[in-house]
Amino acid sequence: MAKRINYNEVLNPAQLEAVMFADGPILVIAGAGSGKTRTLIYRVARLVESGVPPESILLLTFTRKAAQEMLDRAASLSDARCRFVSGGTFHSLAFKVLREHAELLGYANSFTILDRSDMEEVLHSLIPDLQMSKTAPRFPRRGTLANILSKAANLQTPVGAFILEEYGQFVEVAPQIEQLGKLYAAYKKNNQLMDYDDLIISFQRLLRENRDVRSELGQRYGHIMVDEYQDTNAIQAEIVKWLAHGHRNVMVVGDDSQSIYSFRGANYRNMLDFPSLFPETKIIKLEQNYRSTQPILALTNALMDQADEKYTKCLFTERGGGEKPKVVDTRTEHGQALLVSRYLKEQLAEGRSINDFAVLFRAAYHSFELEAELTRQRIPYVKYGGFKFLESAHIKDFLAHMRVVVNRDEAISWIRILRLVKNVGLGKSQAIIQWMKKEHIPPGQLAAWSGVGKREGGLKNLGELLGRLMSKEVKPRNAVEQVMEYYLPILKEKFDDYPRRQKELEQLMPMAERYKNLRGFLDDLVLEPPTSSADVGQVEKGKTLTLSTVHSAKGLEWPVVFIIWVMEGRFPAAMAYSNPLNLEEERRLMYVAATRAKDQLIICYPGQELAPVWSSYQGAGNGLSAFISALPADLFSHESGSIPGVLGGRRGVSGDLREAGKSPLFSRGEKVKHPAFGPGVVSRFVADNKVEVFFKNAGRKLLHLEYTTLEKI
């Protein structure tokens, strides 16, 4: 028996209006944490309860799992028949319809679907047909080719223009890539094949060109609902338009402020343009938030008030209390890592669960320093988005060149760096390693191997690098710079996405600068690290800290959220300054990050870090992100250095070390040594855990004991 739902009791006024809305188009602007999924579920239940046949309701989501979970919940609320609602993805619907009408597009109904690996294999097999000369510029690998052709298709952009915009390193071969795209299209047609992109594009074309098909689908699906509408691309928006063209009973739900997937082709303007497609659209805003405290919402509301184009909404909550978000200048990247790790240790010591916390960042490489510190502090974590620092192939390659200098017997690293040399395979690598071990050959004399010929000339360059790295005069920072100079040509040849990987490698330089010897630097990097994602999965569930890119954190929430590297050139990313639309998406990304926090939001930036890489971009600097600095100052507390307001809300670290002329670690007049400034003498102590040191070579420096490394001499 179906259960009757008392909608007035379980829904707030805005949700109720959306659920009870009669026929016609409706746009639901669902702010973060406002019960978007709940609204869709109750809408399905109400339609079935009111007599609409379940099979005539179409619920489109971005994963089949999401659709099934919604329908199962709707069925458990009222009527078991809700499970018979037609739920799925755009791709699954397209496949179903094209199976019925493929002949209208010149395909047999028995066409085959190419998965991603099949697509890459076909593209690779067609490259010889381009008849490129042996001296032609570098051509992308199969995976990159698939990315280029796929995204250009989804954006409905010419391949050449797309390459110029996003893959500038391949501009010279853009004509050949365009030609490959044509060969690929012909191959698919001749062999009755469609890839995932073809499903959507062909479905769009079928609806646009065939009135009978539109009419048939309109009768089949009398009510249409679309979840996460802000993540649709232009093709999917047109599909929705044609599906609802006859009856206009369509509800789309989303939040333009959370449109962050333009790299997949998503277009936030679909939200803004929906009323133009359906002029009689009813707009309902879900603004009551069930996640965050009001101080957090005040900041996120103000953040989106700055946006150029948006649906204005003001999130509010009935939750009481809550403290203002904190914006903390940690001065250095190492200070940022120390702040997070020490705050966590204090909170865990007080009995809090580690899964109450998350650290979010714009790009995967932003967490490298933090990962190293968490490993040193033995704080277990799991990372989402990108690879863990030491798991990335280019990081392993890079560090291996230094590992063999501090440990000549490390065969794995030897094999890794030798196989990067042209014409040196596994067999030669093993022969070289055995020869060096047997004859006690130092790394710098690699080129003396008897098997070296003209084809193995790269061994000389490798040997010269290793010889320089063995010098006692070489500091870790200089070692990283020398390996960078040697490895960059290899990186560019080995990886199509080398610009991103180069940025990640550059993060090793400031990390290395804090160490006086190479062994200490390498040891700290690999101190008991998880070696694979499988190892991470073995950590007891619910007992790990979450590290995540903002993209991977969308839809999730935690009581306490740190956002790190919130500074110009990092968040927003440097490349965004060249395009106002990209900069606006960075703002939306910041909004998504901030709205993940339930009780406490802590925004960090290392204000003293220089950003020479970004200085050429207009508007880029090295201070706090303009997204935050432009907000009214009363929306957050701005702190610096040791942060007593964050560390448990009690007295700060400064209260422990304020005794004049003395600290538990050093005394006035004591000789010390700093990894960057060299030897010096402690001259005085300052409140807030600061110490002034007079360095022989660098003069007077005011240092924070929490964020610096000083050794007694």
Side-chain angles (χ1 to χ4, degrees), residues 401 404-405 408 414 442-446 459-474 482:
H401 292 85
V404 298
V405 171
R408 299 184 191 182
W414 270 114
Q445 295 183 19
L446 260 181
L459 287 173
K460 179 182 178 183
N461 293 333
L462 176 58
E464 290 175 351
L465 169 69
L466 298 178
R468 293 194 299 272
L469 295 181
M470 293 181 69
S471 169
K472 293 181 179 180
E473 305 301 319
V474 175
Q482 293 201 41

Side-chain angles (χ1 to χ4, degrees), residues 293-527:
T293 62
Q294 194 60 50
I296 293 173
L297 297 179
L299 183 142
T300 57
N301 286 335
L303 178 65
M304 290 314 298
D305 281 345
Q306 304 172 21
D308 290 339
E309 287 187 300
K310 61 185 179 297
Y311 281 110
T312 301
K313 57 184 175 297
C314 186
L315 297 182
F316 68 93
T317 181
E318 293 182 351
R319 287 185 62 187
E323 60 183 71
K324 289 182 181 180
K326 288 179 171 60
V327 177
V328 186
D329 180 0
T330 64
R331 297 177 181 152
T332 65
E333 183 179 12
H334 187 53
Q336 184 172 246
L338 283 170
L339 166 69
V340 175
S341 59
R342 293 183 179 181
Y343 171 75
L344 286 168
K345 293 201 84 168
E346 181 176 275
Q347 293 293 296
L348 296 177
E350 293 182 355
R352 291 200 67 167
S353 171
I354 196 169
N355 59 337
D356 283 349
F357 305 90
V359 183
L360 307 183
F361 31 85
R362 172 64 182 85
Y365 72 90
H366 290 175
S367 69
F368 287 173
E369 175 83 14
L370 176 59
E371 291 179 56
E373 184 61 32
L374 291 172
T375 301
R376 282 192 286 267
Q377 298 288 342
R378 298 177 182 268
I379 298 175
Y381 67 90
V382 60
K383 181 177 178 181
Y384 300 95
F387 288 99
K388 290 176 71 71
F389 183 32
L390 295 177
E391 289 178 0
S392 303
H394 58 297
I395 301 291
K396 287 183 175 180
D397 286 349
F398 194 94
L399 295 178
H401 292 85
M402 292 179 277
R403 291 197 204 287
V404 298
V405 171
V406 300
N407 181 2
R408 299 184 191 182
D409 295 325
E410 194 177 328
I412 294 176
S413 290
W414 270 114
I415 289 174
R416 182 173 283 275
I417 65 174
L418 287 169
R419 296 194 67 181
L420 293 174
V421 178
K422 285 187 177 179
N423 301 310
V424 176
L426 181 59
K428 287 182 181 178
S429 297
Q430 292 174 333
I432 292 171
I433 293 169
Q434 290 172 3
W435 164 71
M436 293 181 71
K437 191 169 185 178
K438 182 179 179 181
E439 304 293 335
H440 304 288
I441 305 296
Q445 295 183 19
L446 260 181
W449 181 52
S450 60
V452 172
K454 290 182 179 180
R455 297 178 73 247
E456 296 85 13
L459 287 173
K460 179 182 178 183
N461 293 333
L462 176 58
E464 290 175 351
L465 169 69
L466 298 178
R468 293 194 299 272
L469 295 181
M470 293 181 69
S471 169
K472 293 181 179 180
E473 305 301 319
V474 175
K475 300 297 182 185
R477 164 89 186 208
N478 183 245
V480 171
E481 290 171 341
Q482 293 201 41
V483 177
M484 183 77 76
E485 183 179 354
Y486 170 83
Y487 182 66
L488 274 183
I490 299 172
L491 180 81
K492 292 178 179 180
E493 185 173 337
K494 188 176 180 183
F495 301 103
D496 284 343
D497 60 345
Y498 64 83
R500 174 185 66 81
R501 294 176 188 261
Q502 182 176 341
K503 278 187 179 181
E504 295 179 353
L505 288 172
E506 287 168 354
Q507 301 311 302
L508 290 167
M509 292 186 188
M511 295 169 71
E513 197 160 25
R514 295 195 310 276
Y515 294 84
K516 59 184 180 181
N517 63 66
L518 203 52
R519 185 179 296 276
F521 170 56
L522 295 174
D523 285 349
D524 265 8
L525 279 179
V526 298
L527 184 63

Side-chain angles (χ1 to χ4, degrees), residues 356 358 360 558-563 593 596-598 600-603:
D356 283 349
L360 307 183
W558 295 269
V560 181
V561 170
F562 281 88
I563 312 176
R596 301 309 96 200
K598 296 167 68 175
Q600 191 172 17
L601 175 63
I602 305 168
I603 295 169

